[in-house]
Amino acid sequence: MIPVLLILIPVITGLIAFFLPGEKAPKIWTLLSAIVTLGVAVAGVYSHRAAELNFDESWIPMLGARFSLSMDGMAKMLCLLTAASFPLVFGATYRNDYPKPGNFYGLMLLLQAGLMGVFLASDCLLFYFFWELALIPAYFLCSAWGGERRIAVTFKFFVYTFLGSLLMLVAILYIYFRTPDQSFALESFYNVQLTAKEQGWLFWAFFIAFAIKMPVFPFHTWQPDTYEQAPTAVTAILSGVMVKMGLYAVIRWLLPVFPEAVAHFDHCVIWLAVAGIIYASLIAIRQDDIKRLIAYSSIAHIGLMAAAIFASHKAGGEIGLQGVMIQMFNHGVNVIGLWIVVDAIEQQLGSRKFSELGGLAQRAPGLAILFVIMAFANIALPLTNAFVGEFMMFNGLFRFSFAAAAVAGISIILAAVYTLGMVQKVFYGNTVPRTENAVDSDLSVKLMLAILAVVIIGLGVYPQPMIQLTNDAVEAVITKFHSI
């Protein structure tokens, strides 16, 4: 019942939140809901009983679709990330005021339910249902509570993701009719017999949908604008958790279902990802807005994960896939920490532009120390959580192609340039009129950042628990490739 609770709790509490009056009641209610969901997710991580981690009931009998949920190591890790992200974001932005707070927090909880469903579904139609369910609240959150250009930007985001979803739906229906038992079950999709030609076009239909969601170059253009215009709390969830939907879907659905097509198109996808890594890193250096810099930084990090995934089926490449598994969690932790700092700065000073900031460490030393830890994790400094995952991903990519690993490796230098440049421009140097009277952040913000800092250093020193948690998923994917 644990997978069901992870979806039901945010759905029910989210619907109730729409009807709660005032400003405080929805905040307290959603924070409590998120904490309870986190408790259930932690219970799931430590549970090893199949009866508690799986749920399977008939959903649409005439189509053979089932409400089938399963919680293996990869699902545990991503559900834990999703469950932990929401209370951290709610706690850090507790003092933020939103028009119609009941609607805002209700949609946030529905978004959480959609994300949980994507990571837990083991029926492809159910997976598609939750994939779309996660998109709808994200659309309304961005379009109703975003910045001045929110309508145009959100429309672009919607069109991108909707077109990708349509392609995926066509591919899902085609595979469904090719399964011997007319089923959407994960195992039926894994065992369906497809010709090389069929795998080719089905691969691209799925891949484009997933590449838009990650996003990977050249399907990324919606991302910087959406991150910039969305409320920072929503941006934190989009970049910390929602982009993992694409990476997760590639590992869970694309690689095992189309192994021959993956082996045929791997060079093409890897070089697209590597091009995106360098392109996004160079663009990040030129930004004057903290949000846009972090957005382009995220594209570079996701690009490296995508490249490592497609390099994983070659001999020795499984180390790269293992790196991706733990990096999905670590990237979520790190980028949410960065967004919390951005929100704290914007709420107090009313600006995110480097040209209008400076010397903030003199006025907010606590925030500066915590931000530097987040920045070090963003550049994968040793003893931070990102170091181990990034090292493993480069190791896997190097075994696939020395040239691709060498070009992607340039991003390590570029990441240090734009990340440390951001720290220098915002927190050091002389204060400016806007930061002259700044004060340190609230206790709630520093508490949430301190929790993230402990996780960053803890997993940087001892990453083995996260590696063990996801090891079964890595073995399953690699075994599938070796069986063709």
Side-chain angles (χ1 to χ4, degrees):
M1 283 300 290
I2 288 177
V4 177
L5 290 175
L6 289 174
I7 296 169
L8 269 185
I9 292 171
V11 166
I12 294 172
T13 55
L15 292 175
I16 293 173
F18 281 100
F19 301 99
L20 294 177
E23 294 185 359
K24 280 192 175 181
K27 287 183 180 179
I28 295 171
W29 176 255
T30 50
L31 183 58
L32 289 174
S33 167
I35 291 172
V36 171
T37 304
L38 175 59
V40 175
V42 171
V45 169
Y46 286 101
S47 175
H48 299 286
R49 299 175 59 183
E52 294 177 348
L53 300 176
N54 295 282
F55 181 84
D56 186 50
E57 289 289 338
S58 180
W59 180 33
I60 309 176
M62 64 184 298
L63 294 178
R66 302 189 67 81
F67 200 91
S68 180
L69 306 173
S70 181
M71 201 171 181
D72 65 359
M74 182 165 55
K76 285 181 179 179
M77 181 266 291
L78 288 167
C79 287
L80 180 63
L81 173 65
T82 307
S85 299
F86 279 80
L88 286 167
V89 171
F90 289 154
T93 60
Y94 187 79
R95 293 183 181 277
N96 292 7
D97 293 325
Y98 302 101
K100 300 181 179 178
N103 294 356
F104 178 85
Y105 287 105
L107 287 169
M108 287 290 280
L109 290 179
L110 292 182
L111 173 59
Q112 186 184 32
L115 292 167
M116 289 289 192
V118 168
F119 299 138
L120 291 167
S122 53
D123 178 284
C124 200
L125 191 62
L126 188 64
F127 166 79
Y128 183 82
F129 170 78
F130 283 116
W131 182 276
E132 294 302 301
L133 185 65
L135 172 64
I136 294 168
Y139 171 80
F140 285 111
L141 285 164
C142 295
S143 61
W145 287 273
E148 292 180 356
R149 297 190 296 116
R150 63 186 183 278
I151 301 299
V153 167
T154 308
F155 181 73
K156 183 179 179 181
F157 165 64
F158 181 81
V159 169
Y160 261 74
T161 52
F162 184 69
L163 290 176
S165 297
L166 280 181
L167 281 174
M168 180 169 60
L169 180 60
V170 171
I172 288 173
L173 291 174
Y174 185 89
I175 298 173
Y176 164 74
F177 287 114
R178 291 297 307 275
T179 55
D181 54 349
Q182 300 284 284
S183 166
F184 293 97
L186 183 67
E187 287 302 320
S188 296
F189 270 50
Y190 281 6
N191 295 322
V192 69
Q193 297 297 316
L194 299 169
T195 65
K197 187 176 180 181
E198 287 173 321
Q199 284 206 23
W201 75 265
L202 289 167
F203 167 87
W204 285 108
F206 270 84
F207 176 74
I208 291 173
F210 301 156
I212 289 171
K213 192 70 77 178
M214 286 187 244
V216 169
F217 177 86
F219 305 102
H220 67 285
T221 59
W222 63 269
Q223 194 232 44
D225 290 337
T226 304
Y227 283 15
E228 180 189 20
Q229 291 297 309
T232 305
V234 178
T235 305
I237 298 301
L238 291 180
S239 61
V241 183
M242 199 167 186
V243 297
K244 309 304 183 299
M245 287 168 55
L247 294 164
Y248 166 84
V250 169
I251 299 171
R252 178 73 81 200
W253 294 97
L254 191 78
L255 268 65
V257 178
F258 314 113
E260 292 180 51
V262 170
H264 185 72
F265 295 114
D266 53 6
H267 279 86
C268 176
V269 174
I270 287 173
W271 279 107
L272 274 179
V274 171
I277 293 168
I278 302 302
Y279 164 80
S281 299
L282 291 172
I283 298 294
I285 293 173
R286 298 183 57 83
Q287 296 305 307
D288 187 43
D289 186 303
I290 308 175
K291 266 192 164 184
R292 293 188 71 85
L293 185 149
I294 297 174
Y296 280 106
S297 168
S298 183
I299 293 173
H301 285 116
I302 296 295
L304 178 58
M305 291 185 225
I309 289 173
F310 280 89
S312 63
H313 65 92
K314 291 293 176 68
E318 61 270 17
I319 191 172
L321 186 59
Q322 183 70 73
V324 173
M325 293 282 185
I326 61 174
Q327 198 69 349
M328 283 197 287
F329 184 87
N330 292 332
H331 175 264
V333 169
N334 301 341
V335 80
I336 285 174
L338 290 172
W339 289 123
I340 289 175
V341 176
V342 172
D343 184 69
I345 293 172
E346 187 177 16
Q347 290 296 320
Q348 182 181 165
L349 304 176
S351 177
R352 306 185 305 258
K353 294 186 178 298
F354 298 124
S355 54
E356 298 176 358
L357 301 171
L360 199 54
Q362 300 173 35
R363 301 289 181 264
L367 187 66
I369 292 170
L370 291 164
F371 184 65
V372 168
I373 295 173
M374 306 300 156
F376 283 167
N378 195 52
I379 59 176
L381 204 69
L383 299 183
T384 64
N385 57 348
F387 172 75
V388 176
E390 196 158 303
F391 181 83
M392 294 171 77
M393 289 191 294
F394 272 112
N395 192 319
L397 189 57
F398 179 82
R399 292 166 188 258
F400 180 84
S401 166
F402 171 76
V407 175
I410 298 172
S411 67
I412 297 174
I413 301 170
L414 298 176
V417 171
Y418 62 71
T419 303
L420 297 180
M422 173 174 63
V423 174
Q424 170 67 29
K425 291 170 186 173
V426 175
F427 285 95
Y428 295 100
N430 297 322
T431 56
V432 297
R434 191 180 286 272
T435 59
E436 189 63 41
N437 298 315
V439 296
D440 218 340
S441 296
D442 297 331
L443 179 61
S444 59
V445 173
K446 287 191 284 193
L447 177 61
M448 299 302 130
L449 289 173
I451 293 171
L452 290 169
V454 169
V455 175
I456 286 171
I457 296 171
L459 289 178
V461 175
Y462 188 60
Q464 194 59 26
M466 195 58 69
I467 293 174
Q468 289 176 341
L469 183 64
T470 56
N471 198 43
D472 63 340
V474 174
E475 289 183 358
V477 173
I478 298 302
T479 301
K480 178 66 179 176
F481 268 106
H482 289 171
S483 67
I484 63 174

